[in-house]
Amino acid sequence: MEYYVKSVVPIIKMNYEKMTAVEKSIADFFIQNQEKVDLSSKAISDRLYVSEASLSRFAQKCGYRGYREFMYQYEVTFVEKKETITGNTRRILNIYQELLNKTYSLVDEEQISRIAQYLSNAKRVVACGRGSSGHAAAEMEMRFMRIGVNIDSLRDSDLIRMQAVFHDKYSLAFGISISGDTEEVLYLLREAHHRGAKTVLITANQTDKFYEYCNEVVRMPSLQYLNQGNVISPQFPILLMLDIIYSCYAELDKGRKEHLHDTTLRALAGEKEGQRQQDGRRMP
């Protein structure tokens, strides 16, 4: 299975669309390469029939100072693929690995810390989304509620729009939209922001317009350009980001949050025990 640390390959893919045809041919080689090879600029230029200047421009498009820096990062973090797992299983595991690598490359720990602080300061939190994003919002409600957050999740279009007007400076609104164009979610964020609430959008899209009404835009990896992406749950990259936010928030006043979490577990266990006893009394 392929594995990269602070992965170079996802960085190439994120910058792929702005490359020239020649640069894309270089990108294709590094994305698809599965074995250790001579990565010197001369060897690669001869292999791909491109100029060394093209290699340098390609590296700069990926955010590196030049090809030498790119080559070093690629070579250090690349691990040859092992063929111990084959077929569909291997493809699926590689997709999940790539999503993890992309998340690693995208996550901004300072941003996550700010969001955790927003959660600590908010008196009311709302998470909204439609479809798979709505299911992720419901999961967020369940998890954060258990450590003391006053949070509700919204998945119905009408409820999202109605709840948009009930926010103020003590509120925090999370909008989850993989595409970044779910109108109900964006409407809630705009209205909440207008009323003084903190707003956070979790999305795979990137556009400057979001910052007009979002305090934070959390980028998550997209399934769009992955092979076999249609067989991977679209909730997975969302839940990765929510886990990171949860972990950071849980570290604030950790003892109190662990106590609250344990208390909810005992409450659930007590409810089940009480139900068993009640069922037992009903039996003849």
Side-chain angles (χ1 to χ4, degrees), residues 62 192 251 256 283:
C62 294
E251 286 296 315
R256 174 178 171 273
M283 293 179 65

Side-chain angles (χ1 to χ4, degrees), residues 90-108:
R90 182 177 180 278
R91 286 195 298 273
I92 299 305
L93 291 176
N94 277 341
I95 293 170
Y96 275 105
Q97 184 63 67
E98 185 167 356
L99 282 169
L100 288 169
N101 291 336
K102 284 187 175 183
T103 302
Y104 187 64
S105 299
L106 289 170
V107 70
D108 179 345

Side-chain angles (χ1 to χ4, degrees), residues 179-233:
S179 65
D181 58 10
T182 308
E183 182 51 40
E184 301 95 326
V185 171
L186 301 184
Y187 176 80
L188 183 141
L189 292 174
R190 286 194 297 267
E191 290 297 314
H193 179 79
H194 177 69
R195 288 166 171 75
K198 295 291 187 184
T199 52
V200 179
L201 173 63
I202 301 176
T203 182
N205 197 0
Q206 178 65 29
T207 176
D208 291 340
K209 72 176 183 180
F210 294 147
Y211 293 98
E212 296 174 7
Y213 48 86
C214 296
N215 296 95
E216 305 289 344
V217 178
V218 179
R219 289 286 309 283
M220 66 178 187
S222 172
L223 296 170
Q224 184 177 359
Y225 300 109
L226 296 177
N227 292 330
Q228 303 290 322
N230 60 315
V231 301
I232 300 299
S233 168

Side-chain angles (χ1 to χ4, degrees), residues 109 112-113 115-117 119-120 143-144 147 149 242-259 261:
E109 288 190 303
I112 299 301
S113 294
I115 294 171
Q117 197 59 56
L119 281 161
S120 290
R143 295 198 66 196
F144 281 80
I147 54 174
V149 177
L242 292 180
D243 281 347
I244 293 170
I245 294 170
Y246 178 92
S247 177
C248 184
Y249 175 69
E251 286 296 315
L252 303 175
D253 196 5
K254 185 176 180 180
R256 174 178 171 273
K257 292 184 175 69
E258 287 180 345
H259 173 71
H261 185 269

Side-chain angles (χ1 to χ4, degrees), residues 115 118-119 122-129 140 150-152 154 160 163-176 185-194 196-202 213-218:
I115 294 171
Y118 296 161
L119 281 161
K123 293 184 178 179
R124 178 178 182 240
V125 180
V126 167
C128 69
M140 183 179 183
N150 179 21
I151 181 171
D152 293 302
L154 303 170
I160 292 173
Q163 287 291 323
V165 301
F166 295 117
H167 292 280
D168 55 30
K169 64 181 180 179
Y170 303 109
S171 301
L172 170 60
F174 283 87
I176 305 173
V185 171
L186 301 184
Y187 176 80
L188 183 141
L189 292 174
R190 286 194 297 267
E191 290 297 314
H193 179 79
H194 177 69
K198 295 291 187 184
T199 52
V200 179
L201 173 63
I202 301 176
Y213 48 86
C214 296
N215 296 95
E216 305 289 344
V217 178
V218 179

